[in-house]
Amino acid sequence: MAETLTITALGHEGDGIAETASGQKVFVPFTLPGEVVTADIDGERGHLVSIITPSPDRIAPACRHFTVCGGCSLQHWAPEKYQAWKRELVVHAFAQRGIETEVNPVIPVAPHSRRRAVFTLSRTEQGVVLGFNKRESHDILAIEECPLLVPEIETRRDKLAALADRLMDRGKRARMTVVSTDTGLDVSLEGARKPGRADYEALGRAAVDGSISRLTVDGAEIFMSRVPEIRNDPIVLYPSAGGFLQATASSELAMADLVDAAIGKSGGPVLDLFSGIGTFTLKLARRFPVLAVEGETKLLQALDRSMRFSTGIRAVTTRRRDLFLNPMAPVELKEFKAVVFDPPRAGAKAQAETLAKSIVPKIVGVSCNPATLARDARILIDGGYKLTSVTPVDQFLWSGHVEVVATFELARKSASKGRPVRLS
């Protein structure tokens, strides 16, 4: 039977939190603080049945697939409240590590700005289905729209499905990563069968209209009509096929500006750890010599191409190194005036520990996971660094994820070691 609940708050994934009559905490998706709802209870999960008293901050969702698609969780919340909640996610993550600090307002992103999409595909009797997983399911939802995606991707769903049609057997699933570049779509297909000669000829015809710049299948390049480029004059980035890229151009620019401003006039050289294809490397290299360190060879190869075709940059040196297993040691860090680190979601614990023992004057941390960034910040603070700025960037619109840029300056060594620190 359905139970009447009052939503008191939102959890970090965006689900409403309520308490049952028996005192059990439950999470109810697609609800908002202050709402009175009825929900079917299944353990800690509540399945929304009806809204008795809606929040005044409830708005119409932007997408017809909302609540069915597994992507977005917060399209139904007014932007001001939604952004304030995202900021509080960051405040809470740092507070859990005993760090009380001022967190700047969230830098927003607009709908239809996601330039990188990862689709799931399956082959049925009716043909290839392209879309996203349904919520809490492995079934694929064949999307008819997606207000997250740039139009260059959203309007070419049928063309993308047709590309996979020749390479997928019935009952099989595949994954397709699509990046919108300034020279066309860069498409990488994984999990399809190996193409034959006839497939190469047919697939190559997809390049005729110029909408697709490159097609890669399981790491093998099928065709490249034009080199995929992301231009930000005088810098040109070359994404690796299926590789990491910041999800939106506006958030990438905002983060690069924050990093550049944090480094300021500190002088060089600068060390860029987990550099990827050079998002921060090349902008910093307009002013300073930069050493870019990255563990993935294909990302460094893309960065090397960017170095050769970008203009107005100083010396950039690249180094392949697994920073999780072999972080840069304090003796290696002493020559740098500033360090930037932008690790995957797991954070950079080992590298933060060596940075905390260094004498680098300025450090900038960038992360898509506030919890692991706060952990790494705690390490740096305990090592004698002062946290000077924290800025959330809403790169992942309508979700519970948020990007964060945090800046640090070397201060007098602290004896606080794990105790709460209040920062002005």
Coordinates of all heavy atoms in Angstrom, one line a residue, residues 156-236:
R156 N 21.0 13.9 -35.2 CA 21.6 12.9 -36.1 C 21.5 11.5 -35.4 O 22.3 10.6 -35.7 CB 23.0 13.3 -36.4 CG 23.2 14.5 -37.2 CD 24.5 14.7 -37.8 NE 24.6 15.8 -38.7 CZ 25.1 17.0 -38.5 NH1 25.6 17.3 -37.2 NH2 25.1 18.0 -39.3
R157 N 20.5 11.3 -34.6 CA 20.4 10.0 -33.9 C 20.2 8.9 -35.0 O 20.7 7.8 -34.9 CB 19.2 10.0 -33.0 CG 19.3 11.1 -31.8 CD 18.2 10.9 -30.9 NE 16.9 10.9 -31.5 CZ 16.2 12.0 -31.9 NH1 16.7 13.2 -31.8 NH2 15.0 11.9 -32.5
D158 N 19.3 9.2 -36.0 CA 19.0 8.1 -37.0 C 20.3 7.8 -37.8 O 20.6 6.6 -38.1 CB 17.9 8.6 -37.9 CG 16.6 8.7 -37.2 OD1 16.4 8.1 -36.1 OD2 15.7 9.3 -37.8
K159 N 21.1 8.8 -38.1 CA 22.3 8.6 -38.9 C 23.3 7.7 -38.1 O 24.0 6.9 -38.6 CB 22.9 9.9 -39.3 CG 24.2 9.8 -40.2 CD 24.7 11.2 -40.6 CE 25.8 11.0 -41.5 NZ 25.5 10.5 -42.9
L160 N 23.4 8.0 -36.8 CA 24.3 7.3 -35.9 C 23.8 5.8 -35.8 O 24.7 4.9 -35.8 CB 24.3 8.0 -34.5 CG 25.0 9.4 -34.5 CD1 24.8 10.0 -33.1 CD2 26.5 9.3 -34.8
A161 N 22.5 5.6 -35.6 CA 22.0 4.2 -35.6 C 22.3 3.5 -36.9 O 22.7 2.3 -36.8 CB 20.5 4.2 -35.3
A162 N 22.2 4.2 -38.0 CA 22.5 3.6 -39.3 C 23.9 3.2 -39.4 O 24.2 2.1 -40.1 CB 22.1 4.5 -40.4
L163 N 24.8 3.9 -38.8 CA 26.3 3.6 -38.9 C 26.5 2.2 -38.2 O 27.3 1.4 -38.7 CB 27.1 4.6 -38.1 CG 27.5 5.9 -38.9 CD1 28.3 6.8 -38.0 CD2 28.3 5.5 -40.1
A164 N 25.8 2.0 -37.1 CA 26.0 0.8 -36.3 C 25.2 -0.4 -36.9 O 25.5 -1.6 -36.6 CB 25.5 1.0 -34.9
D165 N 24.3 -0.1 -37.8 CA 23.4 -1.2 -38.3 C 24.1 -2.3 -39.0 O 23.8 -3.5 -38.8 CB 22.4 -0.6 -39.3 CG 21.3 -1.6 -39.8 OD1 20.6 -2.0 -38.9 OD2 21.4 -1.9 -41.0
R166 N 25.2 -2.0 -39.7 CA 25.9 -3.0 -40.5 C 26.8 -3.9 -39.6 O 27.2 -5.0 -40.0 CB 26.8 -2.4 -41.6 CG 26.0 -1.7 -42.7 CD 27.0 -1.3 -43.8 NE 27.6 -2.5 -44.4 CZ 27.2 -3.1 -45.5 NH1 26.1 -2.7 -46.1 NH2 27.8 -4.2 -46.0
L167 N 27.1 -3.4 -38.4 CA 28.1 -4.1 -37.6 C 27.6 -4.7 -36.3 O 28.3 -5.2 -35.5 CB 29.2 -3.0 -37.2 CG 29.9 -2.3 -38.3 CD1 30.9 -1.3 -37.8 CD2 30.6 -3.3 -39.2
M168 N 26.2 -4.8 -36.2 CA 25.6 -5.4 -35.0 C 24.8 -6.6 -35.4 O 23.9 -6.5 -36.3 CB 24.8 -4.3 -34.3 CG 25.7 -3.2 -33.7 SD 24.7 -2.1 -32.6 CE 24.2 -3.2 -31.3
D169 N 24.9 -7.7 -34.6 CA 24.1 -8.8 -34.8 C 22.9 -8.8 -33.9 O 23.0 -8.1 -32.8 CB 24.9 -10.1 -34.5 CG 26.1 -10.3 -35.5 OD1 25.9 -9.9 -36.7 OD2 27.1 -10.7 -35.1
R170 N 21.8 -9.5 -34.3 CA 20.6 -9.4 -33.5 C 20.9 -9.9 -32.0 O 21.6 -10.9 -31.8 CB 19.5 -10.3 -34.1 CG 18.2 -10.2 -33.4 CD 17.1 -10.9 -34.2 NE 17.0 -10.4 -35.6 CZ 16.2 -11.0 -36.5 NH1 15.5 -12.1 -36.1 NH2 16.1 -10.5 -37.7
G171 N 20.3 -9.2 -31.1 CA 20.5 -9.6 -29.7 C 21.8 -9.0 -29.0 O 22.0 -9.2 -27.8
K172 N 22.6 -8.4 -29.8 CA 23.9 -7.9 -29.3 C 23.7 -6.4 -28.9 O 22.9 -5.7 -29.4 CB 25.0 -8.0 -30.3 CG 25.3 -9.4 -30.7 CD 25.8 -10.2 -29.6 CE 26.2 -11.6 -30.0 NZ 26.8 -12.4 -28.9
R173 N 24.6 -6.0 -28.0 CA 24.6 -4.6 -27.5 C 26.0 -4.0 -27.8 O 27.0 -4.7 -27.9 CB 24.3 -4.5 -26.0 CG 22.9 -4.9 -25.6 CD 22.8 -5.1 -24.1 NE 22.9 -3.8 -23.4 CZ 21.8 -3.1 -23.0 NH1 20.6 -3.6 -23.1 NH2 22.0 -2.0 -22.3
A174 N 26.0 -2.7 -28.0 CA 27.2 -2.0 -28.2 C 27.2 -0.6 -27.5 O 26.1 -0.2 -27.0 CB 27.5 -1.8 -29.7
R175 N 28.3 0.0 -27.5 CA 28.4 1.4 -26.9 C 29.0 2.3 -27.9 O 30.0 2.0 -28.7 CB 29.4 1.2 -25.7 CG 29.8 2.5 -25.1 CD 30.9 2.2 -24.0 NE 31.6 3.3 -23.5 CZ 31.4 3.9 -22.3 NH1 30.4 3.3 -21.5 NH2 32.1 4.9 -21.9
M176 N 28.4 3.5 -28.0 CA 28.9 4.5 -29.0 C 29.1 5.8 -28.3 O 28.3 6.4 -27.7 CB 27.8 4.7 -30.1 CG 28.2 5.7 -31.2 SD 26.9 6.0 -32.4 CE 27.2 4.6 -33.5
T177 N 30.4 6.3 -28.4 CA 30.8 7.6 -27.9 C 30.8 8.6 -29.1 O 31.5 8.3 -30.1 CB 32.1 7.5 -27.2 OG1 32.1 6.6 -26.2 CG2 32.5 8.9 -26.6
V178 N 30.1 9.7 -28.9 CA 30.0 10.7 -30.0 C 30.4 12.0 -29.4 O 29.9 12.5 -28.4 CB 28.5 10.8 -30.5 CG1 28.5 11.8 -31.7 CG2 28.0 9.4 -31.0
V179 N 31.3 12.7 -30.1 CA 31.8 14.0 -29.7 C 31.5 15.0 -30.9 O 31.9 14.7 -32.0 CB 33.3 14.0 -29.4 CG1 33.8 15.4 -29.2 CG2 33.6 13.1 -28.2
S180 N 30.9 16.1 -30.6 CA 30.7 17.1 -31.6 C 31.9 18.0 -31.6 O 32.3 18.7 -30.6 CB 29.4 17.9 -31.2 OG 29.3 19.0 -32.2
T181 N 32.6 18.0 -32.8 CA 33.8 18.9 -32.9 C 33.5 19.9 -34.0 O 32.4 19.9 -34.6 CB 35.0 18.1 -33.3 OG1 34.9 17.7 -34.7 CG2 35.1 16.8 -32.5
D182 N 34.5 20.8 -34.2 CA 34.3 21.9 -35.2 C 34.4 21.4 -36.6 O 34.1 22.1 -37.6 CB 35.3 23.0 -34.9 CG 35.0 23.8 -33.7 OD1 33.9 24.3 -33.5 OD2 35.9 23.8 -32.8
T183 N 34.8 20.1 -36.8 CA 34.9 19.6 -38.1 C 33.9 18.4 -38.4 O 34.1 17.7 -39.3 CB 36.3 19.1 -38.4 OG1 36.8 18.2 -37.3 CG2 37.3 20.3 -38.5
G184 N 33.0 18.2 -37.4 CA 32.0 17.1 -37.6 C 32.0 16.2 -36.4 O 32.8 16.4 -35.4
L185 N 31.2 15.2 -36.4 CA 31.1 14.3 -35.3 C 32.2 13.2 -35.3 O 32.5 12.6 -36.4 CB 29.7 13.5 -35.4 CG 28.5 14.4 -35.3 CD1 27.2 13.5 -35.2 CD2 28.5 15.3 -34.1
D186 N 32.8 13.0 -34.1 CA 33.8 12.0 -33.9 C 33.1 10.8 -33.3 O 32.7 10.9 -32.1 CB 34.9 12.6 -33.1 CG 36.1 11.6 -33.0 OD1 36.2 10.6 -33.8 OD2 36.9 11.8 -32.1
V187 N 33.0 9.7 -34.0 CA 32.2 8.6 -33.5 C 33.1 7.4 -33.2 O 33.9 7.0 -34.1 CB 31.1 8.2 -34.6 CG1 30.3 7.1 -34.1 CG2 30.3 9.4 -34.9
S188 N 32.9 6.8 -32.0 CA 33.7 5.6 -31.6 C 32.7 4.5 -31.2 O 31.9 4.8 -30.3 CB 34.7 6.0 -30.5 OG 35.4 4.8 -30.1
L189 N 32.7 3.4 -31.9 CA 31.8 2.3 -31.6 C 32.6 1.1 -30.9 O 33.7 0.7 -31.4 CB 31.2 1.8 -32.9 CG 30.1 0.7 -32.8 CD1 28.9 1.2 -32.0 CD2 29.6 0.3 -34.2
E190 N 32.1 0.6 -29.8 CA 32.7 -0.5 -29.1 C 31.7 -1.6 -28.9 O 30.6 -1.4 -28.6 CB 33.3 0.0 -27.8 CG 34.3 1.1 -27.8 CD 34.6 1.6 -26.4 OE1 34.6 0.8 -25.5 OE2 34.9 2.8 -26.3
G191 N 32.2 -2.8 -29.2 CA 31.3 -4.0 -28.9 C 30.7 -4.5 -30.2 O 29.9 -5.5 -30.1
A192 N 30.9 -3.9 -31.3 CA 30.4 -4.4 -32.6 C 31.3 -5.4 -33.2 O 32.4 -5.7 -32.8 CB 30.2 -3.2 -33.6
R193 N 30.8 -6.1 -34.3 CA 31.7 -7.1 -34.9 C 32.7 -6.4 -35.8 O 32.5 -5.3 -36.2 CB 30.8 -8.1 -35.7 CG 30.1 -7.4 -36.9 CD 29.4 -8.5 -37.7 NE 28.5 -7.9 -38.7 CZ 29.0 -7.4 -39.9 NH1 30.3 -7.4 -40.2 NH2 28.1 -6.9 -40.8
K194 N 33.7 -7.2 -36.1 CA 34.8 -6.6 -37.0 C 34.3 -6.4 -38.4 O 33.7 -7.3 -39.0 CB 36.0 -7.6 -37.0 CG 37.2 -7.1 -37.8 CD 38.3 -8.1 -37.8 CE 39.5 -7.6 -38.6 NZ 40.6 -8.6 -38.5
P195 N 34.5 -5.2 -38.9 CA 33.9 -4.9 -40.3 C 34.7 -5.6 -41.4 O 35.9 -5.8 -41.3 CB 34.1 -3.4 -40.4 CG 35.2 -3.0 -39.5 CD 35.1 -4.0 -38.3
G196 N 34.0 -6.1 -42.4 CA 34.6 -6.6 -43.6 C 34.8 -5.6 -44.7 O 34.4 -4.4 -44.5
R197 N 35.3 -6.0 -45.8 CA 35.6 -5.1 -46.9 C 34.3 -4.3 -47.4 O 34.3 -3.1 -47.6 CB 36.2 -5.8 -48.1 CG 36.6 -4.8 -49.2 CD 37.4 -5.5 -50.3 NE 37.7 -4.6 -51.4 CZ 38.4 -5.0 -52.4 NH1 38.9 -6.2 -52.5 NH2 38.7 -4.1 -53.4
A198 N 33.2 -5.1 -47.5 CA 32.0 -4.4 -48.0 C 31.5 -3.4 -46.9 O 30.9 -2.4 -47.3 CB 30.9 -5.5 -48.2
D199 N 31.7 -3.7 -45.7 CA 31.3 -2.8 -44.6 C 32.1 -1.5 -44.7 O 31.6 -0.4 -44.5 CB 31.5 -3.4 -43.2 CG 30.7 -4.6 -43.0 OD1 29.5 -4.6 -43.4 OD2 31.2 -5.6 -42.4
Y200 N 33.4 -1.6 -45.0 CA 34.2 -0.4 -45.1 C 33.7 0.5 -46.2 O 33.6 1.7 -46.0 CB 35.7 -0.8 -45.4 CG 36.5 -1.1 -44.2 CD1 36.6 -2.4 -43.7 CD2 37.3 -0.1 -43.5 CE1 37.3 -2.7 -42.6 CE2 38.0 -0.5 -42.4 CZ 38.1 -1.8 -42.0 OH 38.8 -2.0 -40.9
E201 N 33.3 -0.1 -47.3 CA 32.9 0.7 -48.4 C 31.5 1.4 -48.1 O 31.3 2.6 -48.4 CB 32.7 -0.2 -49.7 CG 34.1 -0.7 -50.2 CD 33.9 -1.7 -51.3 OE1 32.7 -2.1 -51.6 OE2 34.9 -2.1 -51.9
A202 N 30.6 0.7 -47.5 CA 29.3 1.2 -47.1 C 29.4 2.3 -46.0 O 28.8 3.4 -46.1 CB 28.4 0.1 -46.6
L203 N 30.3 2.0 -45.0 CA 30.4 3.0 -44.0 C 31.1 4.2 -44.4 O 30.8 5.3 -44.0 CB 31.2 2.3 -42.8 CG 30.5 1.2 -42.0 CD1 31.5 0.5 -41.1 CD2 29.3 1.8 -41.2
G204 N 32.0 4.1 -45.4 CA 32.7 5.2 -45.9 C 31.8 6.2 -46.6 O 32.1 7.4 -46.6
R205 N 30.7 5.7 -47.1 CA 29.7 6.6 -47.8 C 29.0 7.6 -46.7 O 28.5 8.6 -47.1 CB 28.7 5.8 -48.5 CG 29.2 5.2 -49.8 CD 28.1 4.7 -50.7 NE 27.4 3.5 -50.1 CZ 27.8 2.2 -50.3 NH1 28.9 2.0 -51.1 NH2 27.2 1.2 -49.8
A206 N 29.1 7.2 -45.4 CA 28.5 8.1 -44.4 C 29.3 9.4 -44.2 O 28.8 10.3 -43.6 CB 28.5 7.3 -43.1
A207 N 30.5 9.4 -44.8 CA 31.3 10.6 -44.7 C 31.1 11.6 -45.8 O 31.6 12.7 -45.7 CB 32.8 10.2 -44.7
V208 N 30.2 11.3 -46.7 CA 30.1 12.1 -47.9 C 29.5 13.5 -47.5 O 30.0 14.5 -48.1 CB 29.2 11.4 -48.9 CG1 28.8 12.4 -50.1 CG2 29.8 10.2 -49.5
D209 N 28.5 13.5 -46.6 CA 27.9 14.8 -46.4 C 28.7 15.7 -45.4 O 28.3 16.8 -45.1 CB 26.5 14.7 -45.8 CG 26.4 14.0 -44.5 OD1 27.5 13.7 -43.9 OD2 25.3 13.8 -43.9
G210 N 29.8 15.2 -44.8 CA 30.7 15.9 -44.0 C 30.2 16.0 -42.5 O 30.9 16.7 -41.7
S211 N 29.1 15.4 -42.2 CA 28.6 15.5 -40.8 C 29.4 14.7 -39.8 O 29.5 15.0 -38.6 CB 27.2 15.2 -40.7 OG 27.0 13.8 -41.1
I212 N 30.1 13.6 -40.3 CA 30.9 12.8 -39.5 C 32.3 12.9 -39.9 O 32.7 12.6 -41.1 CB 30.4 11.3 -39.5 CG1 29.0 11.2 -39.0 CG2 31.3 10.4 -38.8 CD1 28.3 9.9 -39.0
S213 N 33.2 13.3 -39.0 CA 34.6 13.5 -39.4 C 35.4 12.2 -39.3 O 36.3 12.0 -40.0 CB 35.2 14.6 -38.5 OG 35.1 14.2 -37.1
R214 N 35.0 11.3 -38.3 CA 35.8 10.1 -38.1 C 34.9 9.0 -37.5 O 34.1 9.3 -36.6 CB 37.0 10.4 -37.1 CG 37.8 9.2 -36.8 CD 39.1 9.5 -36.0 NE 38.8 10.1 -34.7 CZ 39.8 10.6 -33.9 NH1 41.1 10.5 -34.3 NH2 39.5 11.2 -32.8
L215 N 35.2 7.8 -37.9 CA 34.5 6.6 -37.3 C 35.6 5.6 -36.9 O 36.4 5.2 -37.7 CB 33.5 6.0 -38.3 CG 32.9 4.7 -37.9 CD1 32.0 4.9 -36.7 CD2 32.1 4.0 -39.0
T216 N 35.5 5.2 -35.7 CA 36.4 4.2 -35.1 C 35.6 3.1 -34.6 O 34.6 3.3 -33.9 CB 37.3 4.9 -34.0 OG1 37.9 6.0 -34.5 CG2 38.3 3.9 -33.5
V217 N 36.0 1.9 -34.9 CA 35.3 0.7 -34.3 C 36.3 -0.2 -33.6 O 37.3 -0.7 -34.1 CB 34.7 -0.2 -35.5 CG1 34.0 -1.4 -34.9 CG2 33.6 0.7 -36.2
D218 N 36.1 -0.3 -32.3 CA 36.9 -1.1 -31.4 C 38.4 -0.7 -31.6 O 39.3 -1.5 -31.6 CB 36.7 -2.6 -31.6 CG 35.4 -3.1 -31.0 OD1 34.9 -2.5 -30.1 OD2 34.9 -4.0 -31.6
G219 N 38.6 0.6 -31.6 CA 40.0 1.1 -31.7 C 40.6 1.2 -33.1 O 41.6 1.8 -33.3
A220 N 39.9 0.6 -34.1 CA 40.4 0.7 -35.5 C 39.7 1.8 -36.3 O 38.4 1.8 -36.3 CB 40.2 -0.7 -36.2
E221 N 40.4 2.6 -36.9 CA 39.9 3.7 -37.7 C 39.3 3.2 -39.0 O 40.0 2.6 -39.8 CB 40.9 4.8 -38.0 CG 40.4 6.0 -38.6 CD 41.5 7.1 -38.8 OE1 42.0 7.6 -37.7 OE2 41.9 7.3 -39.9
I222 N 38.0 3.4 -39.2 CA 37.3 3.0 -40.4 C 37.4 4.1 -41.5 O 37.7 3.8 -42.6 CB 35.8 2.7 -40.1 CG1 35.7 1.7 -39.0 CG2 35.1 2.2 -41.4 CD1 36.4 0.4 -39.2
F223 N 37.2 5.3 -41.1 CA 37.4 6.4 -42.0 C 37.6 7.7 -41.2 O 37.2 7.8 -40.1 CB 36.3 6.6 -43.1 CG 35.0 7.1 -42.5 CD1 34.8 8.4 -42.1 CD2 33.9 6.2 -42.3 CE1 33.6 8.9 -41.6 CE2 32.7 6.7 -41.8 CZ 32.5 8.0 -41.4
M224 N 38.3 8.6 -41.9 CA 38.5 10.0 -41.4 C 38.4 10.9 -42.5 O 39.3 11.1 -43.3 CB 39.8 10.1 -40.6 CG 39.9 11.5 -39.9 SD 41.2 11.6 -38.7 CE 42.6 11.3 -39.7
S225 N 37.3 11.6 -42.7 CA 37.1 12.6 -43.8 C 37.8 13.9 -43.4 O 38.3 14.5 -44.3 CB 35.6 12.8 -44.0 OG 35.0 13.3 -42.9
R226 N 37.8 14.2 -42.1 CA 38.5 15.4 -41.7 C 39.0 15.1 -40.2 O 38.3 14.4 -39.5 CB 37.6 16.6 -41.7 CG 37.2 17.2 -43.0 CD 36.4 18.4 -43.0 NE 35.1 18.2 -42.4 CZ 34.2 19.1 -42.1 NH1 34.5 20.4 -42.3 NH2 33.0 18.8 -41.7
V227 N 40.1 15.7 -39.9 CA 40.6 15.5 -38.5 C 39.7 16.2 -37.5 O 39.4 17.4 -37.7 CB 42.0 16.0 -38.4 CG1 42.5 15.9 -36.9 CG2 43.0 15.4 -39.3
P228 N 39.2 15.4 -36.5 CA 38.3 16.1 -35.5 C 39.1 17.2 -34.7 O 40.2 16.9 -34.2 CB 37.9 14.9 -34.6 CG 38.1 13.7 -35.4 CD 39.3 14.0 -36.3
E229 N 38.6 18.4 -34.7 CA 39.2 19.5 -34.1 C 38.2 20.2 -33.2 O 37.1 20.4 -33.5 CB 39.8 20.5 -35.1 CG 40.9 20.0 -36.0 CD 41.4 21.0 -37.0 OE1 40.7 22.1 -37.1 OE2 42.4 20.8 -37.6
I230 N 38.7 20.7 -32.1 CA 38.0 21.6 -31.2 C 38.8 22.9 -31.1 O 39.9 22.9 -30.5 CB 37.8 21.0 -29.8 CG1 36.9 19.8 -29.9 CG2 37.1 22.0 -28.9 CD1 36.7 19.0 -28.7
R231 N 38.3 24.0 -31.7 CA 39.1 25.2 -31.9 C 38.7 26.2 -30.8 O 37.5 26.5 -30.6 CB 38.8 25.8 -33.3 CG 39.2 24.8 -34.4 CD 38.7 25.3 -35.7 NE 39.0 24.3 -36.8 CZ 38.2 24.2 -37.9 NH1 37.1 24.9 -38.0 NH2 38.5 23.3 -38.8
N232 N 39.7 26.8 -30.2 CA 39.5 27.9 -29.3 C 40.7 28.8 -29.6 O 41.7 28.8 -28.8 CB 39.5 27.4 -27.9 CG 39.2 28.5 -26.9 OD1 38.8 29.6 -27.3 ND2 39.5 28.3 -25.6
D233 N 40.7 29.5 -30.6 CA 41.8 30.3 -31.2 C 42.6 31.0 -30.0 O 42.0 31.7 -29.2 CB 41.3 31.3 -32.2 CG 42.4 32.0 -32.9 OD1 43.2 31.3 -33.5 OD2 42.4 33.3 -33.0
P234 N 43.9 30.8 -30.0 CA 44.8 30.2 -31.0 C 45.0 28.7 -30.7 O 46.0 28.1 -31.2 CB 46.1 31.0 -30.8 CG 46.1 31.3 -29.3 CD 44.7 31.5 -28.9
I235 N 44.3 28.1 -29.7 CA 44.5 26.8 -29.3 C 43.6 25.8 -30.1 O 42.4 26.1 -30.3 CB 44.3 26.6 -27.8 CG1 45.4 27.4 -27.1 CG2 44.3 25.1 -27.4 CD1 45.1 27.5 -25.6
V236 N 44.1 24.7 -30.5 CA 43.3 23.6 -31.2 C 43.5 22.3 -30.4 O 44.6 21.9 -30.2 CB 43.7 23.4 -32.6 CG1 42.8 22.4 -33.3 CG2 43.6 24.7 -33.4

